[in-house]
Amino acid sequence: MAATDPEYDVEHTEVLDVPPAAVFAAFTDPDVFARWYGPEGVRTPREEVEIDARVGGVLRFAMTLDADPSFRSAFDGTFTALVPGRLVAAGGAWVGVPGVDGPWASQLRVELAPAGDGTRVVVREGPHPAGSAELGRQSWRSMLPRLARAAA
């Protein structure tokens, strides 16, 4: 990565049994996004998802806890790069993150490549607030299998 790249402190790679176009759609179609985004015990209600899948378009959503629907953690960002079937990148800010006062700026870069009949997915995200990068890694480990089921 170049010196001007954001500080990604989470990187997770996984091969999913769905084609790159379906994985790309899972990030850019609000109906599909709402079905998978969020780690176990968290959901992203469809009415809380706004996606305008174009460079400069919005990526906004809010998550709630299954155990406490009053909890709300939200992301307000824009797409910075989109290449169908190959790349999704966005930047923005999270609010409502437990243990973090105020908004937390974050960047996301998801690279897709064919892998047999599936897709090799490389997720890079960050920077995370101090001490929370491992939680970010665990979240992606939990979410990508959910993405595969939603995209199938």
Side-chain angles (χ1 to χ4, degrees), residues 21-43:
V23 177
F24 183 83
F27 280 93
T28 58
D29 179 317
D31 294 324
V32 180
F33 187 90
R35 289 197 305 261
W36 71 270
Y37 196 89
E40 294 300 322
V42 177
R43 64 184 192 88

Side-chain angles (χ1 to χ4, degrees), residues 5 9 11 18 26 31 39 55 66 74-75 78 85 88 96 108 121 139 142:
D5 286 343
D9 53 4
E11 182 170 325
V18 292
D31 294 324
V55 173
D66 292 342
F75 182 80
T78 58
V88 175
L108 173 68
V121 179
S139 293
S142 170

Side-chain angles (χ1 to χ4, degrees), residues 88-109:
V88 175
W94 285 93
V95 294
V97 175
V100 178
D101 292 329
W104 152 47
S106 180
Q107 303 293 315
L108 173 68
R109 181 176 179 88

Side-chain angles (χ1 to χ4, degrees), residues 1 3 7 9 20 27 32 63-64 70 75 82 92 97 117 123 133 142 148 151:
M1 288 180 268
E7 181 188 333
D9 53 4
F27 280 93
V32 180
M63 301 182 298
T64 62
S70 68
F75 182 80
L82 288 169
V97 175
D117 291 336
V123 175
S142 170

Side-chain angles (χ1 to χ4, degrees), residues 8 12 14 16 20 23-24 26-27 33 36-37 59 79-90 107-113 119-125 140 143-144 147:
Y8 298 116
H12 178 70
E14 196 161 328
L16 304 179
V23 177
F24 183 83
F27 280 93
F33 187 90
W36 71 270
Y37 196 89
L59 172 60
F79 288 104
T80 57
L82 288 169
V83 179
R86 306 242 349 242
L87 174 67
V88 175
Q107 303 293 315
L108 173 68
R109 181 176 179 88
V110 182
E111 299 169 2
L112 312 174
T119 305
R120 180 176 183 266
V121 179
V122 179
V123 175
R124 291 183 178 93
E125 184 180 58
W140 283 106
M143 289 191 301
L144 288 178
L147 181 156

